[in-house]
Amino acid sequence: MIYTGGTIGMRPGHRGLEPGHDFEQRARVQLDRLPAERRAALPRFHCLAYRDPIDSSNTRPEHWARIAHDVLAHQHEYDGFVILHGTDTLAWTAASLSWQLAGLNKPIIVSGAQQPLEVESGDALANLEQALRFAACPGLAEVAVAFGGRLLRGDAARKWDTHAHQGFASPNANWLGEWLDHAPVLHVTRSRPPEGVCRPMPWPLEAPPRVARLALWPGIDSDMMARLLTPELQGLVLEVWGSGNVPEDPALLALLSTATRRGCLIVAISQCPHGSLAMTSYATGHALRTAGVIDGGAMTPEAVFTRLSHLLSLGLSPQQCRHHLVP
């Protein structure tokens, strides 16, 4: 178990909730509250608690690399891993770990809580128990998110609710499993490791890849977009309308084309949380393809952003990145 920070380990402070320490001892005290048969079903575990717990709102690509580095450093010692993380950017970290740890062939379960561990009737103890049990499932071989009784693919999960115990969903992918009758149930006989290279990002990152995210809005023009599409930008997640529509603005499309020709990787996904792109259905979608924009299919913004960051961090050429980008 790697405790990185987040609400699950927080305690009340003068300014509100703040990162807490002594997490392993506190976690074991809470797990001891479970009924005897459920305690007996828990796997044995060790805990690595970061001395500088991360508020997930402050998470950066360097933190994704640090977590992957710690998992790989201990990959031969454990049958599975639990990563405890703040919920605000948990989906981003889970997606990044999906790419960084592809091929590890062990369960890596990312979880957290909407409320701190000691809150009565909160969700922390339940999520902790579920994460530990799913991490001991031999049929699981990928990064997954265990939260609110659901087991979701790490590269498909999104935070869906700011407060509800079932705070995460995977709108375009089936669940990997769920928690039924106080036991983990997998919906797959053997999960697939995501395609990729089992290798962490360089850590620490001295110069993280320059990747941005932009959602279109009515009235956007090429002058506005040009402020983002600088020559230094290496990748862009472009959230378009519907199944792949953009404004019929020749200057805007020319700007996108110029950026892709110089090597900027631009990936289009829909602003709709459900469904995927069909860029050949409309003329504007065809124009995006002509401009060199990559069809991101049904990938989430978190998945595309972290995929771009990971591939670029490996030093691959733009053409190689294009080949590996959409799994």
Side-chain angles (χ1 to χ4, degrees):
M1 179 189 297
I2 301 177
Y3 166 64
T4 70
T7 298
I8 191 170
M10 287 188 172
R11 290 184 180 275
H14 295 301
R15 299 185 302 163
L17 292 175
E18 56 189 31
H21 297 277
D22 301 322
F23 183 81
E24 179 176 5
Q25 179 182 356
R26 294 164 55 203
R28 292 188 185 276
V29 166
Q30 295 302 313
L31 290 168
D32 281 343
R33 297 173 51 202
L34 296 172
E37 66 275 12
R38 286 162 60 188
R39 291 201 307 272
L42 293 172
R44 291 183 297 117
F45 68 92
H46 295 127
C47 182
L48 169 63
Y50 285 177
R51 295 180 180 179
D52 52 342
I54 306 164
D55 183 317
S56 68
S57 298
N58 296 324
T59 302
R60 296 175 54 84
E62 295 92 324
H63 297 119
W64 304 333
R66 176 184 180 183
I67 296 168
H69 172 89
D70 287 334
V71 169
L72 289 171
H74 298 283
Q75 62 179 305
H76 302 299
E77 302 169 44
Y78 300 99
D79 297 316
F81 294 86
V82 171
I83 313 299
L84 297 176
H85 194 285
T87 61
D88 284 345
T89 58
L90 185 151
W92 297 78
T93 296
S96 179
L97 293 177
S98 294
W99 315 128
Q100 294 187 76
L101 300 175
L104 190 60
N105 213 34
K106 292 184 178 182
I108 301 102
I109 308 300
V110 187
S111 191
Q114 302 278 38
Q115 297 155 304
L117 193 59
E118 288 81 7
V119 171
E120 290 293 332
S121 302
D123 61 334
L125 178 58
N127 286 348
L128 182 60
E129 178 188 12
Q130 293 165 28
L132 284 166
R133 293 288 303 278
F134 277 117
C137 288
L140 197 59
E142 61 183 281
V143 176
V145 172
F147 209 98
R150 301 169 176 172
L151 187 71
L152 313 174
R153 283 208 151 93
D155 60 357
R158 306 201 70 187
K159 186 169 183 181
W160 212 246
D161 194 292
T162 57
H163 301 293
H165 286 185
Q166 288 188 333
F168 285 80
S170 54
N172 290 313
N174 294 330
W175 301 353
L176 284 173
E178 59 187 312
W179 187 253
L180 294 174
D181 297 326
H182 304 297
V185 176
L186 295 183
H187 296 330
V188 289
T189 54
R190 184 71 181 175
S191 64
R192 54 102 175 115
E195 180 276 331
V197 181
C198 183
R199 161 184 174 183
M201 290 187 197
W203 176 71
L205 291 173
E206 297 179 0
R210 296 184 66 85
V211 179
R213 174 184 176 187
L214 176 67
L216 297 181
W217 67 89
I220 187 172
D221 58 33
S222 59
D223 289 339
M224 295 174 180
M225 187 174 284
R227 299 180 185 183
L228 183 63
L229 280 175
T230 63
E232 294 78 22
L233 191 69
Q234 297 171 268
L236 176 67
V237 182
L238 182 64
E239 296 183 35
V240 300
W241 295 311
S243 59
N245 296 315
V246 295
E248 293 186 275
D249 181 347
L252 189 149
L253 291 168
L255 185 64
L256 294 174
S257 181
T258 299
T260 60
R261 284 201 304 270
R262 69 167 176 261
C264 182
L265 296 162
I266 302 177
V267 185
I269 58 174
S270 178
Q271 294 183 21
C272 301
H274 293 265
S276 62
L277 292 191
M279 285 172 51
T280 56
S281 297
Y282 294 90
T284 53
H286 180 75
L288 282 176
R289 293 175 67 91
T290 302
V293 175
I294 302 164
D295 185 335
M299 294 178 74
T300 67
E302 297 89 343
V304 176
F305 187 98
T306 56
R307 184 67 164 167
L308 280 170
S309 298
H310 177 58
L311 292 173
L312 288 166
S313 77
L314 297 178
L316 302 179
S317 69
Q319 193 57 40
Q320 289 173 314
C321 288
R322 280 178 170 269
H323 177 72
H324 291 290
L325 189 59
V326 181

